[in-house]
Amino acid sequence: MKKISNLFLVSLLSGATTLGAYKLLFDTNGYFSSSKTPITTFASDNFTKRVGLSTDVLDFTEAAEKTIHTVVHVKNVSYKSYSNPMLEYFYGYKGGQSQEQVGTGSGVIISEDGYIVTNNHVVKDASEIEITLNNKKSYKAKLIGTDSKMDIALLKIDANEKLPYTTFGNSDDVKIGEWVLAVGNPYNLTSTVTAGIVSAKARNLGTSGIQSFIQTDAAVNPGNSGGALVNTRGDLIGINTMISSTTGSYVGYSFAVPSNIARKIIEDIMEYGNVQRGILGVEGGELNATVSKELGISQTEGFYINRVTKNSGAQKAGLQKGDIIVKLDEQNVSTFADLSGYINTKRPNDKVQVTFIRNGKNNIIPVVLSKNEFFTTEFKGIELENIDAADKKKFKIDYGVKIRSISNENLAEYQEELKGNIILRIDNANAKDVETVSKLLNQKDENQSIRLEMINKEGEIIRIII
């Protein structure tokens, strides 16, 4: 009887254990139940977020479909004359042979009536420009205007029909890590779409013009220049302009002119016939740990003002040497590229709210931007200004800075001889404009000698060392 009782007790415990295990594992809300609510683990802070990689997130088909019909193939035909010295010497033959040169690139239709934006270098020196749409129709294009400094050109075709076009997005809103598409015609392959992410913003490559690129890892190759960089909604956020490569082909990085800069240039060309450049009127450089240590300040980000231009908006507003600009309107300023990129979207007489640090305290003042033509810089007692159209025509040049006045005692006896001369090169760098020269000279020590190559008032090339 005792054995039966023990057997019954073991059976009872085994059944209870089995039933409990079933309830725990398979019944409603059990561990393996299909109706169980999933366990959700939340990030412990705002810097750790789950990244969605579903097919819905990575579906670029709509953006690609919207863009490929607005990107065009640009053909640049130019003619270059070649002379034959042997024929000239022996036979007095003065004629030259003309050889056709063809370059290709991309462009983006920005209006239904046929306005197209591309890179200046795509159409530079073109005698003829031909546009081929995605539907294979071709048209002769007219060059409306260019901005070589920012590498933007505006074209126009007459298609006698409404054309598909891309709308501008706000490049200031672009975020690092955001997916983007590059659309263009690399190697004459039309309607090519590549995808990548925004790798960096306000990238300064040390060029004499653009100093605020959008950097992406979307594949861009020769022929993509002038094509569209769009976000996943198909909005134009940049004009692809160059790659960083030792081979001439894509190796991981590509760069685009931000759409806000491109749009401002295009609007200027259409409204004024040229680009209206506004300046803040400050000179200096961006801060980092090394520079801040030398200056004896704790701030390691921002633009340090070393000099305020006379009669500029900055001077009139009260900015001073030693102030550190950290924000323009709502745009944070950590580098020189941040500052120059934002100012390049503005015009003379635009008002900008400047946030700066002085004596450890934040201050905000409105600054009215000056016109770029009035921008001057001074180095070693030589005041420089930009040349005007009359100077360019007289000396047949397209860049340079003019010596406005001389206060250097060592050069006093040469003042009349040097005043009005146009400096073309400083050491081995082209003196394209005052802004470029100012940035170049800020990198040099006051005690360091520099070589100047210039044109004097008689059009003669002279070279001096100061």
Side-chain angles (χ1 to χ4, degrees):
M1 188 68 181
K2 186 175 180 181
K3 289 182 178 180
I4 295 174
S5 298
N6 289 339
L7 183 61
F8 175 76
L9 182 59
V10 171
S11 300
L12 182 63
L13 290 173
S14 298
T17 302
T18 302
L19 180 61
Y22 177 83
K23 286 283 188 180
L24 177 64
L25 299 175
F26 299 102
D27 202 3
T28 303
N29 286 329
Y31 190 80
F32 293 109
S33 170
S34 60
S35 62
K36 175 177 172 59
T37 303
I39 297 174
T40 302
T41 303
F42 292 97
S44 59
D45 54 52
N46 290 330
F47 301 100
T48 307
K49 297 181 181 179
R50 296 180 180 274
V51 179
L53 294 176
S54 68
T55 55
D56 291 337
V57 174
L58 296 181
D59 186 0
F60 302 135
T61 55
E62 183 177 349
E65 180 65 22
K66 285 176 61 177
T67 309
I68 58 173
H69 301 295
T70 69
V71 174
V72 302
H73 180 268
V74 181
K75 180 181 176 182
N76 167 356
V77 179
S78 60
Y79 299 92
K80 189 171 184 179
S81 297
Y82 294 90
S83 60
N84 189 323
M86 297 296 289
L87 289 176
E88 291 180 5
Y89 181 77
F90 288 106
Y91 302 105
Y93 180 69
K94 298 298 183 181
Q97 293 180 330
S98 181
Q99 182 175 342
E100 181 182 277
Q101 296 180 323
V102 177
T104 61
S106 304
V108 186
I109 305 173
I110 57 171
S111 69
E112 64 181 15
D113 58 345
Y115 280 99
I116 296 168
V117 61
T118 185
N119 286 145
N120 177 65
H121 75 261
V122 170
V123 296
K124 185 178 180 180
D125 300 324
S127 299
E128 301 172 11
I129 302 173
E130 182 179 275
I131 300 296
T132 302
L133 306 183
N134 194 47
N135 61 10
K136 310 302 181 185
K137 293 182 179 179
S138 294
Y139 302 91
K140 295 295 183 183
K142 178 182 178 182
L143 181 62
I144 303 300
T146 65
D147 181 8
S148 59
K149 182 174 182 179
M150 295 299 170
D151 200 17
I152 292 294
L154 182 63
L155 311 176
K156 177 71 166 63
I157 61 173
D158 295 319
N160 297 321
E161 63 177 316
K162 292 184 178 181
L163 299 173
Y165 62 94
T166 297
T167 56
F168 281 92
N170 185 350
S171 55
D172 288 342
D173 291 340
V174 173
K175 293 180 172 57
I176 295 174
E178 179 179 344
W179 282 98
V180 290
L181 301 181
V183 186
N185 303 280
Y187 304 115
N188 286 326
L189 302 173
T190 59
S191 306
T192 298
V193 180
T194 57
I197 63 169
V198 174
S199 306
K201 294 176 62 178
R203 180 66 80 198
N204 185 353
L205 301 181
T207 64
S208 59
I210 313 164
Q211 292 154 342
S212 187
F213 290 98
I214 295 174
Q215 177 184 325
T216 80
D217 65 355
V220 170
N221 279 294
N224 266 115
S225 292
L229 185 72
V230 300
N231 57 25
T232 54
R233 296 181 298 278
D235 299 328
L236 185 67
I237 59 170
I239 301 297
N240 297 315
T241 190
M242 69 167 61
I243 58 177
S244 178
S245 171
T246 56
T247 65
S249 298
Y250 173 76
V251 292
Y253 299 108
S254 56
F255 302 91
V257 181
S259 61
N260 285 6
I261 294 178
R263 179 174 58 190
K264 184 262 181 186
I265 291 170
I266 292 162
E267 290 173 351
D268 281 357
I269 291 173
M270 294 178 70
E271 185 173 351
Y272 304 102
N274 55 39
V275 180
Q276 304 289 299
R277 302 198 193 283
I279 62 163
L280 197 60
V282 295
E283 298 177 40
E286 62 186 61
L287 294 175
N288 55 42
T290 302
V291 173
S292 297
K293 185 178 180 179
E294 292 175 354
L295 293 171
I297 57 179
S298 58
Q299 181 77 13
T300 57
E301 288 188 324
F303 182 85
Y304 181 86
I305 299 177
N306 190 48
R307 179 177 177 268
V308 179
T309 305
K310 296 176 183 177
N311 300 319
S312 66
Q315 185 188 55
K316 293 174 182 177
L319 286 174
Q320 302 173 7
K321 178 180 179 178
D323 291 344
I324 302 169
I325 299 174
V326 293
K327 184 181 286 188
L328 298 174
D329 292 334
E330 298 304 315
Q331 178 74 34
N332 291 328
V333 174
S334 299
T335 65
F336 174 74
D338 290 329
L339 184 144
S340 63
Y342 189 75
I343 295 298
N344 281 331
T345 66
K346 302 297 180 181
R347 297 183 177 89
N349 299 319
D350 281 353
K351 184 180 292 185
V352 178
Q353 297 294 327
V354 178
T355 302
F356 64 97
I357 298 174
R358 180 186 294 171
N359 299 325
K361 296 181 179 179
N362 277 23
N363 303 272
I364 303 177
I365 58 173
V367 176
V368 177
L369 300 184
S370 311
K371 197 169 184 180
N372 189 51
E373 281 73 8
F374 301 135
F375 186 27
T376 63
T377 190
E378 186 174 352
F379 184 76
K380 293 192 173 185
I382 302 176
E383 187 177 12
L384 305 172
E385 64 182 358
N386 286 322
I387 60 175
D388 56 24
D391 291 323
K392 293 179 180 180
K393 184 177 181 181
K394 177 181 178 181
F395 297 107
K396 297 180 181 179
I397 55 177
D398 57 5
Y399 71 89
V401 293
K402 181 185 287 188
I403 298 178
R404 182 175 180 175
S405 64
I406 292 178
S407 57
N408 187 324
E409 294 182 358
N410 295 327
L411 299 174
E413 61 180 301
Y414 307 107
Q415 180 172 347
E416 292 304 316
E417 182 181 343
L418 293 175
K419 187 176 178 181
N421 288 1
I422 297 174
I423 298 174
L424 299 177
R425 294 177 66 83
I426 297 177
D427 289 337
N428 294 318
N430 288 342
K432 288 186 174 294
D433 53 30
V434 168
E435 187 178 5
T436 303
V437 169
S438 174
K439 185 181 177 184
L440 175 67
L441 295 179
N442 279 329
Q443 300 170 357
K444 296 183 178 295
D445 191 279
E446 278 284 344
N447 298 320
Q448 181 181 356
S449 63
I450 59 174
R451 298 186 304 275
L452 302 180
E453 179 180 307
M454 64 183 77
I455 296 179
N456 65 16
K457 293 180 280 290
E458 285 72 41
E460 300 168 333
I461 297 291
I462 60 175
R463 298 174 180 86
I464 64 172
I465 297 178
I466 62 171

